[in-house]
Amino acid sequence: MEIIKKYFYILSWILLYIGRTKSQFIFNLTESTSTECTKDADLVFLIDTSRSLGLRAYQKELQFVERVLEGYEIGTNRTKVAVITFSAGSRLEFDFNRYNTKADVLQGIRNIPYTDGMSTTIYRALEQARREVFVPEAGDRPSFKNLAVILTDGETNPGSFDPYSFLMGKTLTRQEANQLKFHGVEVFGIGVGHRVDHVEMVGISSGSKNYLRVGDIDDLESSRLFKILLNNVCATCNNKPADVIFMVDKSSSLGSVANFDKELSFIARFVDGFNIGQGPRDVRVGVISFSTDAQLEFGLSSYNDKSSLLNALLNIDFSLGNTYTHKAFEVLLNQGFSTSTRPSTVPRVGVIMTDGQSTNPYKLEDIIMKVKLKGIEIFSIGFGSVDVTELNMMATVPDHTHVFVVDDVHTLDTVRDELYLEICNLIGQS
């Protein structure tokens, strides 16, 4: 194993010297849903009412739906809501035409009975959403975003209700989910408990970032997806200024240029949700890279538009070295925010992205104290062999809104919307 590691690092250094470690990727900002703030939508909930759920959990489902809807303005020209329930078959409880006020929608939800069915015909609910809800006759509006949220505690199971085998039922669910997404509906999936087929639910959802698994029904309202749905992947950040600097790890432990590119791609997609510029209501972005040394790749005043900023990201080089995280914070403090002429009321945000533990944790703790005394808000993103305690130490409190941990660099996008939401909320409070 040590021989392999040595070979790998030697190869990396060779690539560096022949000039192939410059980032060569092209941002594909259409791979996942944009974080553009569009609050109003045509929103349908597909709610499991099968026997395995139980009455108490069913009531919790309805309460969750009510809490999500607190984040929306409901009305003829605002968000409209529909509900489908499913167990043995599916039932359209009400479509977009039925209610035009939040009070009526919430009362309609409270009146939905628990059917206690013996089957879980998810495919029927998805088909009904496509054929009977997201159509003009049911009040669907072509100029509004289409969202669907499906909650279940199990998996597709036709049971004795339909003459389908178990596998055929799952095939139908996959087909109907694909049809719904093909028609432009963004699908969020929520799986509750240990009986859920998570592979099926990720397939139903519009990507893994839109799927949430929770161990218990009581965990729903503390979840990441709850906060995203409550704000419709959006917060009160439009037309409000902020200064955001990313500190991006490019140490040897990343392993490859491709992995470094994943970090830059994450930043690019994140930035795509903001109004970038130098105006009084714009968001300004800077980037610091670090390994053995740290450097300001570009500052807050470098770019006046989003396109130029994204092009600058393309030109950031990958390098090899240790993880001197404290040097990134020194640059943040001494160069990143030191020349800003904006009012002190404009939020100053630092986002640290790293795959490992700092080489010098003592110096890191010292500089972090100085950074926080300057009122800079810090968010930590860790992936791979990261030290969670160190992530917590670097981040502003509370940890549960400022620290994000994913398995590896390939799953960074699963926290992008949540980070966007938290920073957006911070901007909105300024």
Side-chain angles (χ1 to χ4, degrees):
M1 181 61 71
E2 290 301 318
I3 293 174
I4 293 174
K5 286 182 178 178
K6 288 179 181 178
Y7 173 78
F8 174 79
Y9 285 125
I10 291 169
L11 179 60
S12 297
W13 276 109
I14 292 171
L15 290 174
L16 177 64
Y17 280 113
I18 63 175
R20 293 184 58 192
T21 52
K22 179 174 285 292
S23 181
Q24 298 291 328
F25 71 99
I26 298 173
F27 297 124
N28 183 359
L29 297 174
T30 62
E31 281 186 9
S32 55
T33 304
S34 172
T35 48
E36 180 184 359
C37 289
T38 52
K39 289 278 291 183
D40 298 318
D42 291 335
L43 171 61
V44 62
F45 289 90
L46 287 66
I47 302 174
D48 190 342
T49 62
S50 59
R51 176 165 297 181
S52 59
L53 196 66
L55 179 59
R56 176 184 172 276
Y58 171 69
Q59 292 170 338
K60 285 280 188 179
E61 277 189 320
L62 297 188
Q63 291 168 13
F64 172 79
V65 173
E66 289 186 48
R67 289 280 287 116
V68 167
L69 292 177
E70 289 179 10
Y72 293 81
E73 293 293 330
I74 294 174
T76 304
N77 296 313
R78 302 302 300 271
T79 291
K80 302 196 77 173
V81 179
V83 173
I84 293 172
T85 56
F86 63 92
S87 57
S90 66
R91 170 175 164 167
L92 178 59
E93 301 293 344
F94 54 85
D95 63 17
F96 297 130
N97 287 324
R98 182 74 174 274
Y99 301 120
N100 289 314
T101 69
K102 184 179 293 188
D104 288 342
V105 168
L106 295 180
Q107 189 58 52
I109 290 169
R110 296 182 193 116
N111 292 337
I112 298 173
Y114 176 49
T115 59
D116 192 27
M118 295 290 288
S119 304
T120 308
T121 57
I122 297 174
Y123 50 87
R124 282 184 172 268
L126 294 168
E127 181 183 17
Q128 192 163 31
R130 176 171 58 87
R131 293 184 180 275
E132 300 180 32
V133 176
F134 291 114
V135 292
E137 297 80 9
D140 180 60
R141 300 162 295 179
S143 59
F144 284 73
K145 192 173 183 178
N146 286 342
L147 303 176
V149 181
I150 179 167
L151 298 93
T152 184
D153 78 323
E155 59 182 321
T156 298
N157 179 17
S160 59
F161 185 81
D162 279 325
Y164 304 132
S165 67
F166 179 74
L167 291 178
M168 184 61 189
K170 284 188 168 293
T171 299
L172 290 172
T173 290
R174 185 171 62 252
Q175 291 174 346
E176 288 297 340
N178 289 340
Q179 285 267 21
L180 198 61
K181 289 180 284 189
F182 179 78
H183 282 81
V185 179
E186 182 169 10
V187 182
F188 294 87
I190 303 174
V192 181
H194 64 278
R195 289 186 293 265
V196 176
D197 182 343
H198 299 295
V199 174
E200 179 178 66
M201 288 301 293
V202 170
I204 292 172
S205 307
S206 298
S208 59
K209 69 180 177 61
N210 277 20
Y211 173 60
L212 173 74
R213 56 191 294 179
V214 294
D216 185 83
I217 194 74
D218 295 316
D219 296 332
L220 274 176
E221 289 195 15
S222 62
S223 69
R224 168 186 63 85
L225 192 54
F226 169 70
K227 290 186 288 183
I228 291 174
L229 287 171
L230 184 64
N231 292 273
N232 191 12
V233 198
C234 173
T236 55
C237 60
N238 262 359
N239 299 316
K240 290 206 172 185
D243 288 341
V244 183
I245 295 179
F246 286 87
M247 294 166 281
V248 57
D249 191 340
K250 58 177 184 179
S251 58
S252 300
S253 55
L254 274 174
S256 68
V257 181
N259 287 341
F260 180 62
D261 288 348
K262 288 284 186 181
E263 290 185 287
L264 300 183
S265 180
F266 175 88
I267 297 172
R269 291 174 184 162
F270 177 88
V271 165
D272 192 51
F274 289 102
N275 296 321
I276 301 298
Q278 298 296 322
R281 295 182 178 273
D282 289 333
V283 173
R284 304 190 304 174
V285 174
V287 173
I288 296 167
S289 64
F290 68 95
S291 56
T292 299
D293 291 305
Q295 66 182 53
L296 182 66
E297 298 289 350
F298 55 84
L300 295 168
S301 59
S302 297
Y303 299 105
N304 296 317
D305 60 84
K306 192 178 299 182
S307 176
S308 299
L309 191 150
L310 295 178
N311 284 334
L313 278 172
L314 283 169
N315 290 316
I316 297 177
D317 292 338
F318 176 55
S319 64
L320 302 171
N322 295 317
T323 309
Y324 284 96
T325 314
H326 73 276
K327 293 186 178 181
F329 282 98
E330 288 173 352
V331 173
L332 179 78
L333 190 61
N334 298 326
Q335 299 179 47
F337 291 115
S338 62
T339 59
S340 177
T341 58
R342 279 184 156 180
S344 59
T345 53
V346 174
R348 293 180 297 169
V349 179
V351 181
I352 179 75
M353 303 173 65
T354 183
D355 76 329
Q357 185 176 11
S358 174
T359 305
N360 194 327
Y362 302 106
K363 286 189 175 182
L364 178 61
E365 287 188 33
D366 182 59
I367 189 64
I368 287 295
M369 289 180 61
K370 296 176 182 178
V371 167
K372 291 181 179 179
L373 284 173
K374 291 291 186 179
I376 300 169
E377 197 92 2
I378 301 297
F379 293 83
S380 299
I381 304 174
F383 48 93
S385 302
V386 73
D387 183 340
V388 176
T389 301
E390 189 170 85
L391 290 178
N392 293 339
M393 182 274 295
M394 292 188 290
T396 304
V397 294
D399 296 340
H400 72 272
T401 61
H402 288 71
V403 178
F404 305 88
V405 182
V406 296
D407 292 337
D408 53 46
V409 72
H410 304 289
T411 53
L412 274 174
D413 269 350
T414 61
V415 299
R416 178 173 52 88
D417 284 343
E418 187 180 5
L419 175 67
Y420 179 87
L421 176 61
E422 295 297 347
I423 292 180
C424 227
N425 283 336
L426 174 68
I427 296 171
Q429 294 166 12
S430 63

